[in-house]
Structures are given as structure tokens and as C-alpha cells.
Amino acid sequence: MSTKLTSAGPQAETATTGLRRSLRRFDITAMAVAAVISFDTVGQIATGGGEAATWTAAIALFFLVPYALLFAETGAAFPQEGGPYVWVKLAFGRPAAALTTLFYWVTNPIWLGGSLVFLAAETWDGFVFHLGSGTVGDYTFKLLFVWIAILTAIVSLSRGKWITTVGAVVKVLSLTLFTVTAVLYGAEHGFQGLSDARFTPTTAGFLGLVPILLFAYVGFEAPNAAGEEMHDPQRDVPAALGRSATIAAACYLLPVLALLAVVPGDKVTGIGGFMEGVRLVFGVYGGAAGPLLTCTAVMFVFALLTQGSAWMIVSDRMQAMAAADGGFFTRSLGAFHPRLGTPVRTNLLSGAVATVFMLTAMRLVHGDTGAVFGVVLTVAVTTLLLSYLAIVPALLALRLRRPEVHRPYRVPFGDRGFVVCAALVYAWILIGSWAALFPGVLESVFGIDYDFQDTWGVSRPTFETFTLGTIVVLLLVGTAGLAVAGRTGEKR
């Protein structure tokens, strides 16, 4: 189908004039793997104990599979630049698309400036070179991490894709090496963690794990933000999404099982659990363990950096299309650089947001690094999941209202199959969004004890300042962006 299917207004099309088609099937797969497999969530998932593995497998089956089917069909049928922004606009109009895209986009500078940078700094401090906490070295490392990620998103996609591809390869190799080494360690020393692990699923475990697991699995549609930079999106998107989803499911489930098998449950932490597991199992390598551990830590940090880069590449394109289409303050924010072919102004805006959020998190959330990490990650989980409350219905609306659009791939069982998949995905997103925004509420409904301070390491007022406060600010910013665009005659 034509990529001119009312994806945006004339100004948006002008903003992206000259884009080069540089993404092939392998590139799309690698970008999805780099973006979706989250090192920062492996340890966080494992804190749920043995049932974390059970829920990881269950959600892969009952959420990831229908989710992948929905986005494989829609991504191939509507391959315009901007991806989800275009889909929501076609279904519900520009205002809904602009607000949805803002929530989707801002997740990533928040995540980069919060979760990823904190985990990278903690890893570097503990395994490579001492930084300290709140020191000049700590601030310098975190600022460099944020802005190197932004700069890799600014370079042309034909070059930037190789950075994320290397990151994806490093990520899969690191997780594979850890899993294999854990098996060797367990064969020699016994799988001590399994003796305490309880794999039976519980309601409390489900409510605690569902937001982070959904966050870990969503995002395979992200490469569609660069839809007009793909060589053959109608053929490549479904195949690439299927491959990357399979790789991601394995790269979550197997390392989580390995981590739980060799690390005592009371030592599994969200921010340090994975690398502590690496430190333990690498003992099987004898004298080579130290250098290997340092090398793995550097690879770990590099993978985190390219993960942030991959999300900046795709989400900044979405936000740029919203701006170019008159949905966010000024169209100039959506301009693509004529030589680089990247939305440099939006990239720089992302860097500024990430920097502000990182500095705010370091100063306003009191407690250890783990508490900061957990709260910041929850903010990112919340904003991203909320965006799917509009994206998923948009997919269904396009399926039912635009039957004439050529669909190279279709969800099995026609409209009924699509509706069932959409309902399943939407139900999961609703539960995950509520659990992320208001932890402890559903637990009280089911009579489950929930100590907020003990769980999060911060008070509820501090927690809600970050979560609800962030959402209120985003709604105000999004509304203001639409209003300013309208008053200046930029919104049509």
C-alpha cells in the first residue's frame, strides 16, 4: 500500500522528505531486540522469586503472543513513518494521537535518565571503576551515559542501526553466557536457589510482577516509527516481529531461571541481582574470573547504552511526526535534518528531559540507589502502559473500519481472532496500569498484606509525587502543546 495513506499532513510529509530506506529484516529484528530485551528488568523480575519464572512464561503465552499478532498485522498494513502516532490518528484523530504519543515518547527519556543510567552507574561502580554516590564522578558518568545515547540517535540511521545491532548481539551473548555459566556452576556446586524457590503462582506475586513483565514485553512495534525507512515493511515487519518476540521471551525466561537457581533469594535485587549472579557463577573460571567479570560489566553497560539509543531512535521519530503534523507546540520540533535524516531537535529535547529527570531522581527521592531505581522504573512503566490504552483500541478500529487496506499478514480467524487478541492485550494493560499507578490497592481488595515503605523503600507520598505527578504534568504539557499549535495556526 502507499505510504501516503493520510499518515500526516503536508507539513509532516515535507519534514520527512529525503528519508533513506536503510532498514532490512535483520536490522528491524536487531532494533527490536536491542530495544525490548531490558537488562534492567531481568533482576527486577527475579525479585519475585520462583513464581517470577512461572508468570514470565504465562504472560509470554497469554499476552506476548496475541500482542505480537496484533502489531504484526497492523505494522505491515500501515507502514507510515511515525508508527503508533499514525495508527491512533487514523482511528481517533490528531488530539488523541498527540497525547498518546507524548506518553509513549516521554517514557524513554524518563527510562534513560532513570532506570538505565542508575543501573549502568551501579554496575560501573561495583565492577569496573569506583564512582561513589552523588560524587562528581557519579554525576559525570550519568551525564555522559545520557548524552552518548542521544548522540547515537542523532547520527544517520544507516550508521546508527549498526550501533543498536552490536548492542543487540552483545545483549544476547551476555545473557547466553550467563545462562550457560550458571548451568556449569550449578552442576559443580548445586542449584542452591532452587531449594527455596516456590514456582506456584500467587495473587500477590501476580500483582507485583505484572507491570514490570508487561513493560518488559511491550515495544515490538517500535521499529514501525521508522516505517518509511524500511526497504519492505509489508514483508519484513511480521517476520522480524515474530523472530524478535521469540528471542526476547527466551532471553527473559532462561536468565531469570538461571539467576534464581544460583543466587539465594534474599540476595536477588532489582538493580544488582543480575551482575551479582554473574560474579557468583564466574567463579567456575578460576583465575580468569576477574577479567571476565570486568569485561562482562563493560558489555552490560554498553548494552544498556544501546538499549537507550534504540528507544530514542524510534520514539523520537514518533514524537517528531506528532510535532510536524501540528500536534505538539511547533512544527519545527518535527523537522528531520536534511543530511542526517534524523529529528535532531526532538533528539535534543529527549536529552534535556532525561537529564532533568536524572537530576531530579538523585535529589528528591531519599534512600538507597535501589529505591530510586524502583520508583523511576515504575514511572516509566506507568507512562508506557497508559499509551497502549489508546494504541490497542486504535488497532481494532483500523481492522474493523479499514477492511480495504491490503494486509500482507493477518491475525488467524479473521475479525473474531483480532477482537479476541485485542481484548486479551487490553485486559492485561488495564491491570498493569492500575497496579503500577496504585500499588497495594488491589492487594487490599484481595486481603493481601502490603507494606508500602518496606516494598518501595520510600513513602507513598514520595512515590505518588513521581507517578501521579508525572502523569498530571504530561497531560498539562500535551494539552498546552495542542492549544499552542492551534492558536498559532499550526494545527489543521
Side-chain angles (χ1 to χ4, degrees):
M1 60 170 285
S2 170
T3 59
K4 299 299 183 183
L5 183 63
T6 62
S7 62
Q11 290 84 354
E13 293 179 6
T14 300
T16 58
T17 299
L19 290 180
R20 298 178 181 177
R21 297 188 180 275
S22 56
L23 295 180
R24 298 185 184 275
R25 185 174 301 182
F26 173 79
D27 303 317
I28 299 168
T29 302
M31 183 175 290
V33 168
V36 173
I37 299 177
S38 308
F39 267 143
D40 58 329
T41 57
V42 171
Q44 195 80 354
I45 292 168
T47 59
E51 66 176 300
T54 305
W55 286 119
T56 299
I59 293 178
L61 179 61
F62 295 107
F63 171 78
L64 180 59
V65 171
Y67 169 89
L69 293 174
L70 291 177
F71 284 96
E73 175 175 321
T74 306
F78 298 88
Q80 293 80 19
E81 191 81 6
Y85 170 76
V86 175
W87 306 337
V88 178
K89 180 190 172 185
L90 290 175
F92 304 129
R94 183 183 289 115
L99 290 174
T100 299
T101 299
L102 178 61
F103 273 75
Y104 190 102
W105 163 73
V106 83
T107 292
N108 298 293
I110 287 176
W111 189 35
L112 175 64
S115 301
L116 294 183
V117 76
F118 275 85
L119 181 54
E122 186 80 358
T123 302
W124 197 269
D125 178 73
F127 298 92
V128 182
F129 183 82
H130 180 64
L131 297 173
S133 179
T135 63
V136 173
D138 188 28
Y139 276 93
T140 301
F141 177 90
K142 288 172 180 173
L143 287 171
L144 285 174
F145 184 92
V146 167
W147 284 99
I148 290 173
I150 296 300
L151 288 175
T152 58
I154 289 176
V155 301
S156 63
L157 189 58
S158 61
R159 293 184 174 87
K161 70 178 184 180
W162 293 113
I163 299 172
T164 58
T165 297
V166 172
V169 172
V170 166
K171 191 176 297 184
V172 173
L173 286 178
S174 298
L175 291 170
T176 302
L177 176 62
F178 168 72
T179 303
V180 171
T181 306
V183 172
L184 296 176
Y185 179 90
E188 182 176 336
H189 299 281
F191 296 96
Q192 304 297 325
L194 293 179
S195 60
D196 298 325
R198 293 186 178 132
F199 293 91
T200 303
T202 66
T203 303
F206 169 78
L207 294 174
L209 286 166
V210 66
I212 191 67
L213 281 170
L214 295 181
F215 180 75
Y217 280 139
V218 297
F220 291 101
E221 76 288 341
N224 264 100
E228 292 179 24
E229 296 167 82
M230 298 176 182
H231 279 276
D232 191 355
Q234 294 191 326
R235 293 184 59 188
D236 292 343
V237 166
L241 195 151
R243 293 173 184 178
S244 56
T246 302
I247 293 170
C251 284
Y252 280 123
L253 183 59
L254 297 180
V256 165
L257 279 171
L259 187 60
L260 292 171
V262 299
V263 180
D266 59 350
K267 293 185 178 180
V268 177
T269 62
I271 193 166
F274 179 79
M275 285 306 299
E276 287 302 325
V278 172
R279 188 203 298 272
L280 177 64
V281 302
F282 273 28
V284 301
Y285 298 122
L292 280 174
L293 184 60
T294 301
C295 180
T296 302
V298 172
M299 293 169 63
F300 185 86
V301 172
F302 175 74
L304 292 174
L305 179 68
T306 56
Q307 186 174 332
S309 300
W311 275 106
M312 290 300 102
I313 288 172
V314 295
S315 65
D316 284 355
R317 278 168 166 76
M318 281 180 57
Q319 186 61 28
M321 289 302 296
D325 197 33
F328 191 68
F329 290 105
T330 171
R331 294 187 192 274
S332 62
L333 275 176
F336 281 63
H337 192 278
R339 180 171 60 85
L340 299 175
T342 54
V344 175
R345 292 170 181 169
T346 305
N347 294 145
L348 295 176
L349 178 61
S350 289
V353 172
T355 300
V356 169
F357 202 86
M358 181 269 290
L359 296 174
T360 301
M362 291 186 71
R363 295 184 63 86
L364 295 187
V365 177
H366 302 289
D368 62 14
T369 305
V372 176
F373 172 82
V375 174
V376 170
L377 180 58
T378 297
V379 174
V381 168
T382 303
T383 54
L384 183 62
L385 292 184
L386 288 175
S387 71
Y388 287 94
L389 294 178
I391 293 173
V392 174
L395 307 188
L396 182 59
L398 292 177
R399 180 62 148 83
L400 300 178
R401 297 177 189 170
R402 309 291 293 264
E404 78 284 356
V405 174
H406 174 57
R407 297 172 185 268
Y409 171 80
R410 287 179 175 268
V411 172
F413 307 110
D415 287 350
R416 182 175 299 177
F418 200 100
V419 169
V420 170
C421 287
L424 272 174
V425 171
Y426 202 73
W428 283 108
I429 295 296
L430 281 175
I431 295 170
S433 300
W434 183 271
L437 273 175
F438 306 106
V441 174
L442 290 176
E443 283 82 353
S444 65
V445 171
F446 290 99
I448 300 169
D449 291 334
Y450 192 88
D451 188 320
F452 197 95
Q453 182 73 38
D454 183 63
T455 301
W456 293 99
V458 296
S459 65
R460 183 176 285 277
T462 300
F463 180 93
E464 300 298 356
T465 296
F466 269 81
T467 53
L468 294 180
T470 299
I471 291 170
V472 170
V473 169
L474 286 177
L475 288 173
L476 292 174
V477 170
T479 303
L482 284 165
V484 170
R487 282 201 303 269
T488 57
E490 293 188 7
K491 185 178 77 171
R492 290 177 181 270

